[in-house]
């Protein structure tokens, strides 16, 4: 009986063990099922958070870049590009350069200098201010000492759609040569038309708007409102603007070797009591008299530039032709000898044509012809016997220059001119010039 009992226990023992494993399996299956449900919920939560984050990023595409670049101006603002232009000339002239061209005694006159002189050296600063603005300042170091502000302006850089705004003191965008700084001129001096009608260059305090069309052909439109401080305007101390400018430029390429640009400009301002000393009169008063003019001044002009470089490479040889024409109308009141006032109107004009040929990498030769037309003035009855209405003479000048540039930072120039801008006073002139550039200097315009 005892053996049967032991045998029964032995047979029943494995059955109990199998029963325990099934229970454990059910428990494990339940735990696994719960774990899967928890993970599924967790995955759904993570996927939901990811979608929300991606949506927020899509809604703020600009905020991140602005925040990143805001740190850049801090570095550039304290490290502006600095350049120094050292320039000097020696002029050998037969006549007093202070004598103005015939018929333009009442215009501005920037005569050439005789002997050794410092010329106009320049100290320039430029830097990006932040992602939206860039600043430029150019200080002119006068030959007689002293420092003047030539340019000091701010350019916008992020208006988009080809629009750029400039405000401060700048050279007007009219014509072609007006925006070019003196050290980048192709001759020692400006053409007669710039010297007589713009006092070399029109610089203004104001605001300039430019728009560059999004086309393959270069199309630029511009407008300016300014104080009117630059000749032929008169500086003013009241609200509003004293001068306005409109200009348009169009250009393009012809093949790989040619490119061109043409333009048109219109400038309008008002002169107020503009006094001119040494004006000749009908009586031939020694030393002339002092006249004063008050009235409207309107000037229109056209310009063109054509450049050639074999396959677009100007490092060895190149050719540049350019010309400009300006026509000015003045209408108002003239006070002869600051005493007799009556009406006065005149239309004057001038033009130049020049070519510069680079025949070797370091050498260039240039020829320029320029001419003025004093016009015929309409003079009121009170001054008809005093003021010369027609001089019957055409001021003109022919110049030839050679320059040698050992590098892009240095240039030496020799220039000869046959100046016949003054009636019966022809002048043979010779100039030597050096131009040296120190430090970082931005590229010049077209």
């Amino acid at each position: 009986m005892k053996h049967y009992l032991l045998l029964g226990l032995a047979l029943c023992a494995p059955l109990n063990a199998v029963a325990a494993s099934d229970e454990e399996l059910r428990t494990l299956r339940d735990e696994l099922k719960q774990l899967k449900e928890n993970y599924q919920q967790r995955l759904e939560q993570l996927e939901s958070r990811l979608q929300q984050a991606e949506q927020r990023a899509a809604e703020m595409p600009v905020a991140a870049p602005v925040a990143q670049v805001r740190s850049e101006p801090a570095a550039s603002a304290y490290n502006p590009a600095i350049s120094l232009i050292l320039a000097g000339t020696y002029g050998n002239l037969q006549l007093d350069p202070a004598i103005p061209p015939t018929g333009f005694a009442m215009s501005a006159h920037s005569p050439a200098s005789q002997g050794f002189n410092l010329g106009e050296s320049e100290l320039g600063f430029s830097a990006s201010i932040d992602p939206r603005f860039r600043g430029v300042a150019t200080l002119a170091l006068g030959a007689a000492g002293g420092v003047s502000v030539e340019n000091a302006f701010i350019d916008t850089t992020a208006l988009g759609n080809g629009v750029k705004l400039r405000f401060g003191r700048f050279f007007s965008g009219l014509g072609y040569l007006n925006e070019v700084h003196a050290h980048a001129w192709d001759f020692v001096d400006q053409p007669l038309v710039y010297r007589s009608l713009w006092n070399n260059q029109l610089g203004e305090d104001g605001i300039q708007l430019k728009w560059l069309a999004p086309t393959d052909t270069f199309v630029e439109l511009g407008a300016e409102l300014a104080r009117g401080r630059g000749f032929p305007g008169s500086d003013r101390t009241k609200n509003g603007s004293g001068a306005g400018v409109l200009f348009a430029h169009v250009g393009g390429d012809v093949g790989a070797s040619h490119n061109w640009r043409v333009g048109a400009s219109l400038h309008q301002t008002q002169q107020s009591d503009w006094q001119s000393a040494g004006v000749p009169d009908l009586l031939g008063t020694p030393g002339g008299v002092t006249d004063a003019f008050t009235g409207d001044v309107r000037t229109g002009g056209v310009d063109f530039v054509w450049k050639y470089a074999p396959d677009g490479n100007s490092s060895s040889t190149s050719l540049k032709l350019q010309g400009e024409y300006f026509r000015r109308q003045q209408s108002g009141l003239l006070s002869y000898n600051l005493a007799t006032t009556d009406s006065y109107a005149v239309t004057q004009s001038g033009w130049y044509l020049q070519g510069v040929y680079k025949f070797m990498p370091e050498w260039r030769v240039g020829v320029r012809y320029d001419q003025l037309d004093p016009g015929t003035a309409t003079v009121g009855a009170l001054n008809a016997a005093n003021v010369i209405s027609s001089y019957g003479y055409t001021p003109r000048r022919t110049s030839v220059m050679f320059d040698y540039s050992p590098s892009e930072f240095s240039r030496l120039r020799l220039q000869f001119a046959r100046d016949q801008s003054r009636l019966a006073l022809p002048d043979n002139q010779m100039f030597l010039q050096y131009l040296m550039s120190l430090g970082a200097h931005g590229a010049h315009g077209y």
Side-chain angles (χ1 to χ4, degrees), residues 177-193:
L177 265 181
N178 195 71
E179 283 190 304
V180 181
H181 284 252
H183 66 270
W185 296 347
D186 289 321
F187 290 80
V188 172
D189 47 14
Q190 284 283 64
L192 291 173
V193 65

Side-chain angles (χ1 to χ4, degrees), residues 52-68:
Q52 293 176 4
E54 290 176 343
Q55 185 176 1
R56 286 197 298 270
E59 293 174 350
M60 297 184 296
V62 179
V66 171
Q68 292 170 4

Side-chain angles (χ1 to χ4, degrees), residues 148-441:
S148 61
V149 179
E150 189 171 80
N151 287 162
F153 58 80
I154 303 297
D155 277 340
T156 60
T157 58
L159 291 182
N161 299 316
V163 177
K164 187 175 78 172
L165 200 61
R166 172 173 293 180
F167 46 91
R169 175 169 296 182
F170 51 85
F171 289 138
S172 172
L174 63 83
Y176 174 71
L177 265 181
N178 195 71
E179 283 190 304
V180 181
H181 284 252
H183 66 270
W185 296 347
D186 289 321
F187 290 80
V188 172
D189 47 14
Q190 284 283 64
L192 291 173
V193 65
Y194 268 90
R195 291 170 61 176
S196 298
L197 299 191
W198 304 113
N199 197 17
N200 268 347
Q201 284 177 285
L202 177 63
E204 282 287 10
D205 293 354
I207 186 169
Q208 178 192 73
L209 178 66
K210 281 186 178 180
W211 176 67
L212 185 62
T215 59
D216 293 336
T217 301
F218 173 77
V219 178
E220 180 187 67
L221 304 178
E224 299 170 2
L225 287 177
R227 182 184 180 92
R229 58 180 288 274
F231 183 83
S234 297
D235 204 359
R236 47 191 279 146
T237 56
K238 58 182 180 180
N239 295 329
S241 63
V245 175
L246 296 174
F247 60 85
H249 299 126
V250 180
D253 298 325
V254 180
S257 303
H258 306 264
N259 54 78
W260 58 276
R261 198 194 84 168
V262 297
S265 309
L266 179 63
H267 173 269
Q268 183 161 352
T269 188
Q270 187 174 51
Q271 282 187 327
S272 179
D273 197 27
W274 170 263
Q275 296 189 11
S276 309
V279 180
D281 55 57
L282 293 179
L283 301 179
T285 304
V289 297
T290 298
D291 289 345
F293 174 80
T294 297
D296 297 323
V297 184
R298 176 178 296 181
T299 310
V302 293
D303 60 89
F304 87 93
V305 182
W306 172 77
K307 295 183 180 180
Y308 166 77
D311 298 322
N313 183 6
S314 61
S315 59
S316 297
T317 60
S318 64
L319 176 64
K320 180 171 73 170
L321 295 177
Q322 69 184 69
E324 295 183 71
Y325 170 81
F326 289 104
R327 179 184 175 90
R328 170 166 298 166
Q329 294 178 313
Q330 291 179 262
S331 179
L333 297 174
L334 179 69
S335 295
Y336 171 77
N337 204 17
L338 302 181
T340 306
T341 302
D342 205 341
S343 60
Y344 179 83
V346 67
T347 299
Q348 300 178 313
S349 62
W351 61 274
Y352 76 91
L353 180 65
Q354 70 179 50
V356 177
Y357 175 53
K358 176 192 281 189
F359 56 95
M360 294 180 67
E362 297 87 9
W363 289 91
R364 303 191 310 165
V365 59
V367 179
R368 179 181 67 191
Y369 178 80
D370 45 348
Q371 182 174 303
L372 297 172
D373 180 4
T376 300
T378 301
V379 184
L382 297 180
N383 283 326
N386 299 323
V387 177
I388 299 174
S389 60
S390 177
Y391 289 86
Y393 182 73
T394 301
R396 57 194 181 277
R397 182 181 59 174
T398 303
S399 305
V400 179
M401 78 86 189
F402 302 88
D403 63 30
Y404 170 66
S405 303
S407 72
E408 59 181 311
F409 304 105
S410 60
R411 174 165 292 168
L412 303 173
R413 177 174 289 147
L414 171 64
Q415 178 174 318
F416 299 98
R418 172 69 172 174
D419 189 344
Q420 297 173 282
S421 62
R422 295 158 294 191
L423 177 62
L425 295 174
D427 190 9
N428 296 318
Q429 304 171 344
M430 186 273 289
F431 300 94
L432 291 171
Q433 183 184 40
Y434 67 84
L435 296 161
M436 304 290 163
S437 175
L438 289 73
H441 191 81

Side-chain angles (χ1 to χ4, degrees), residues 3-85:
H3 293 90
Y4 288 111
L5 181 60
L6 293 173
L7 180 60
L9 291 173
L11 294 174
C12 292
L15 296 176
N16 291 339
V18 171
S21 297
D22 291 339
E23 181 64 23
E24 184 178 1
L25 290 175
R26 282 195 297 271
T27 302
L28 291 174
R29 289 192 181 97
D30 293 339
E31 292 178 352
L32 181 61
K33 181 180 179 181
Q34 184 64 38
L35 187 61
K36 286 182 176 179
E37 292 177 351
N38 292 339
Y39 270 109
Q40 185 62 34
Q41 293 177 357
R42 182 62 175 167
L43 287 173
E44 291 176 354
Q45 292 175 356
L46 291 175
E47 289 177 353
S48 176
R49 292 174 58 186
L50 178 61
Q51 292 176 355
Q52 293 176 4
E54 290 176 343
Q55 185 176 1
R56 286 197 298 270
E59 293 174 350
M60 297 184 296
V62 179
V66 171
Q68 292 170 4
V69 293
R70 273 179 179 169
S71 60
E72 294 180 2
S76 60
Y78 293 103
N79 188 26
I82 301 175
S83 66
L84 176 62
I85 304 296

